[in-house]
Amino acid sequence: MTSEAKRRTVLLTGAAGEIGHGLVHGLRTHDDIRIIATDLKEIPEGTRSLCDEVHVGDVCDEGLMQQLIAMHEVTDIYHLAALLSTRAEHVPEIAHEVNVGGTWNLLKLAAAHSASHGRSVRFVLPSTIAVYGMDGAEHKERAGAVSEDDCNLPTTMYGANKLYCEHLGRYYSNHYRRLADDRGAALIDFRSLRLPGVIAAETKPTGGTSDFVPEMIHAAASGHPGTCFVRSSARIPWMTMPECVDALLAIGRADRSKLSRSVYNVAAFSASAGEVAEVIRTHFPSSSVDYAIDENRQDIVDSWPADVDCSRAASDWGYRPRWSLEEAFEHYIVPSIQTHYAKA
Ligand code: AKB
């Protein structure tokens, strides 16, 4: 049994969100750790019961975050709280405050905690394919699978926020207070994954622009007609929620000495809305999808790459996609979503 002294304590923000739900389950299954969870909203009972403590609170509240980090001697932070791309376009200033302000707040506190304890706080930040900015459909097609350092010209507030937070994390991890005489030895240990569209069977997403695929799947599985807000040709990379959780846990556990960078692409497959709709139809033959294009959200999807190059994640820390589009439906989406709606 792991001794109390070695036991890790995770602070997880945004615990009431889709990834929060999956990550709490993943952390609880895999690790002997304490989980301190926070969210602005009440955390649902299924997630709450797996946490050691839950707090309703704002990631921008410096006093609260400091109290949680210090009181629980936090060793790891999974900072999930954020306003996603569609929501952020409606309230860009609030998005900046939460996405940048909240991350900066936690990075500063984690840096102070690392310095005072002489031990690096590990900081895991989900980033996004929204950090990329493709210059129209032709560029997107031509670029194929983009590497981490290519096309970093986001067109959304969310993408700009996340790209900046990646840079902030790298700064706090490698260069913080580089000219100070009293600079401590322990800087934070920052790691980030650029997530593609994520498909969860147990929860429905809100506020994102990649929601068009999960929305179609949930409509079909619950016996409702589906509406897709982008054209059938709209293509981005994807992964399922179990793969997303596993990837976040894996980057969190990866040996620092093997990491040649702090930010990595991850994805399982690239698919268009129309290709996903075809697979939905084979599993739910009576389902239907209607295309009602929202040109503004289509523009956002057009600015995201069709695919991402995950070779650095593969060589540095062994990332492997688990499922193709068809396998994801067969092994996870269909069985889990049928169980979910049978219970509902
Ligand atoms: C969104 O649609 O905003 C997110 C993302 C791709 O990061 N799901």
Side-chain angles (χ1 to χ4, degrees), residues 84-86 127-130 158 195-198 207-211 236 304:
L84 299 182
S85 54
T86 290
S127 185
T128 168
I129 52 165
Y158 174 64
L195 299 178
V198 177
T209 314
S210 63
D211 295 1
I236 58 169
W304 293 351

Side-chain angles (χ1 to χ4, degrees), residues 94 105 108 155 165 182 208-209 271 275 329:
I94 296 175
N105 191 27
K108 281 187 294 185
T155 65
C165 288
D182 63 343
T209 314
E275 286 167 356
F329 269 80

